[in-house]
Amino acid sequence: MRVMNQKKLQFLSDYIKNAMPRVHTHGSDIFLSFEYMKRIPAAYMILAGIRTGKITEKTVIIESSSGTLAIGLAEVCKLLGLECHIVTDPAINGTPEFFCHLLGAVIHKLDVPDEKGNFQQRRLKEVDRLRNDIRDHFYTNQYDNLDNRISYCQVAAHILQQIDGPIDFLVSPVGSGGSSSGLLDSLRLIFPNIFGVAIDTQGSVLFGDENYERKLRGLGNSLIPHNLNSSAFQRVYWVTQDDAILGCQRLYTEHNIFAGLSSGAAFKAHEHLRQEHAHSTIMSVMPDTGYRYLETIDKEQLISSAVPLKIKSPINLNRNNPAFTYMEL
Amino acid sequence: MTTKTPQSIDVNQPNYRVYSHAGEWIQGPILCPRTGNFEKVLVTLRTNTLRTSFTYNSNNNYRHGKKIQNLAEKLATKYHAHIDPCHFMKFSNIPIGVGLGSSTSDLVAFTFAYLHELGVRLTHLQTYQMATEYEGYSDPLYDSRTFLFNSKSKKELYSLPSIGKKYKAALTFSKQVREIVTDELQFNYTQEDIEKFKMIEAAFRRGITTANFKMIFAAADASAVQNQHHMSLDDYDEIKDICSRYAMGFSISHSGSAIVIHAEDQNLALVRKVLAGEGYESKKITISL
């Protein structure tokens, strides 16, 4: 069994530092703008696996991902010379898939969703199959691996080095629970009164909706990950794909941050909170850049969208009534 | 405390097993509201058991902290004798790094063992006094005056007048654990604790560099809260309440402390130099009285 040399481990620590977000402050609006947020847990989970001896130079890395975690793991594995297997679905089409191929990751792409229209359960079954077939493997398991959540302590430290006042609201898209719970848990140590705002989407079970086909990807889930501490949040917004696209447009034109759909969803909630709380400090997490989404969204919609905020309260979750809605938790 | 004559060093077979309990003296004078005199009070806390261990080797090859090293050298000088190499394992329910005397209990335990080996018989109080005398000062923050101590010699550097009651506070700040490098740390701390210590330290440094008192206090509070999971919240609040109501000051862990500097202009440059020497950047601020 060969262990990693120190130089490679240092590369990994540097990789995490280089993946930290830009902290945009516009008055009392703060936006954490990542290129690919999940680079951080990807590297941290691998680093933790190496430290504990679970990953050696011969270990095969396995994960289920359709987005930026796949890119992060592929990059880290390329850096360390590890074999990487990504179980995914058509949501990875385009840039992420291209990057993964470029980095030498093995893609296992499922084409047929389950009866609910989602791929999550089938992807996890495929992960199980791979784990049975590959003896020396390490399943990073973003949903249940605590190191995913812990990695965001470093992001919190990065933020705290750049801000001065207390944060009143933290708005986070929620998927694996790693960034949302990790950041909220960490920042709450310093700012105990921080109000946690979760961003979810219709068809996601994370905050009580039924499991059905989710149009907006990059957030939400069809299972409850162990990394999610839902009781830490005080409010949840359910955001549609259309509203997320509109949020992206406004985020760029008003704050010059060109970010992805989950960021647009977070910005919709950010705007709504700003209407309610004119003087509070609101920090929103922008998990990735928007370039890859240009391949799939209707650019005409981006240009012409002058749609007002659609708010429904209290929540009336219904798949026949998809709208921008929220609920106090 | 039970002891055994050391024959060889084996970390799994400690020569001394020491049991240390929270509820020992809280360091620092406590002003008794009834008599107006300074007294020490005994507070009993319910905490989880922590484990630390260290090896003492009389040839100066120490595996323990500087405080034990200094104490051992002073005891050797005083009694003209070394004790044989030995290994200590301490089981304590005093949380580390929250100003409740966990490191002092190390010193007291070591002194007990040392004197036992030499056949010197002292009362518990005499032993305690000897240990704490050799430990030197802690890093107290006082209500009415801020004292700044050199963290190495524990020698008092400055006694600075306070700017008033606006920022009155008793703080603890813990930054002692940066990496889990020993079995003992593995036993007491998780990787999540380490990451949170680093995060709190980042907040503390930001508070210092921008002279943001709220951030400094928030970091100090967070530091205490982070350690607090070793003890019951109610008890911890009780300690804080006692300290804030009656104490002229209370000790802060030697492993790291939050230092809020209330300085007059003529002292400021000197204070900032000392802070820089300790690795902290500082920024001049002006507060209206």
Side-chain angles (χ1 to χ4, degrees), chain A residues 164-315:
Chain A
D164 293 319
I167 302 165
D168 300 310
F169 294 87
L170 177 68
V171 182
S172 301
V174 184
S176 71
S179 65
S180 52
S181 294
L183 268 179
L184 185 57
D185 186 36
S186 300
L187 291 173
R188 196 165 264 157
L189 254 183
I190 304 295
F191 308 120
N193 298 321
I194 196 168
F195 189 97
V197 179
I199 307 301
D200 200 358
T201 190
Q202 288 80 1
S204 159
V205 302
L206 292 175
F207 292 91
D209 197 6
E210 293 172 30
N211 179 21
Y212 58 93
E213 184 181 5
R214 302 190 302 279
K215 289 185 177 173
L216 177 59
R217 301 298 300 269
L219 53 80
N221 213 323
S222 52
L223 54 82
I224 304 287
H226 287 165
N227 272 323
L228 174 63
N229 176 14
S230 55
S231 63
F233 295 90
Q234 280 77 49
R235 182 184 287 190
V236 56
Y237 285 87
W238 284 269
V239 183
T240 65
Q241 186 182 39
D242 286 348
D243 280 321
I245 292 171
L246 179 59
C248 288
Q249 187 252 23
R250 291 167 68 96
L251 182 61
Y252 181 62
T253 56
E254 294 180 16
H255 295 279
N256 309 122
I257 298 170
F258 189 59
L261 290 180
S262 51
S263 308
F267 186 65
K268 285 291 288 185
H270 188 110
E271 281 189 313
H272 182 238
L273 286 166
R274 177 56 70 209
Q275 289 176 1
E276 288 182 349
H277 305 276
H279 303 294
S280 300
T281 300
I282 304 174
M283 175 185 280
S284 288
V285 178
M286 309 285 148
D288 66 353
T289 63
Y291 296 102
R292 77 175 169 114
Y293 301 93
L294 288 175
E295 301 160 2
T296 53
I297 63 170
D298 180 358
K299 296 182 190 61
E300 290 302 316
Q301 185 185 354
L302 266 184
I303 294 167
S304 63
S305 56
V307 184
L309 279 170
K310 294 176 291 185
I311 305 285
K312 288 200 167 203
S313 178
I315 183 67

Side-chain angles (χ1 to χ4, degrees), chain B residues 141-197:
Chain B
L141 292 176
Y142 284 80
D143 253 355
S144 55
R145 298 176 75 82
T146 299
F147 287 76
L148 182 62
F149 288 90
N150 182 305
S151 67
K152 291 187 177 67
S153 67
K154 300 299 169 194
K155 186 179 173 186
E156 184 183 319
L157 293 180
Y158 308 106
S159 166
L160 304 170
S162 168
I163 55 164
K165 298 293 184 185
K166 188 175 178 185
Y167 293 107
K168 182 177 76 173
L171 305 177
T172 66
F173 182 75
S174 179
K175 60 179 173 60
Q176 76 278 26
V177 185
R178 289 180 157 273
E179 198 174 356
I180 295 178
V181 290
T182 65
D183 289 346
E184 287 69 38
L185 288 174
Q186 182 90 47
F187 184 83
N188 292 332
Y189 293 98
T190 65
Q191 191 61 34
E192 186 170 14
D193 290 327
I194 307 300
E195 297 293 354
K196 284 187 173 167
F197 281 133

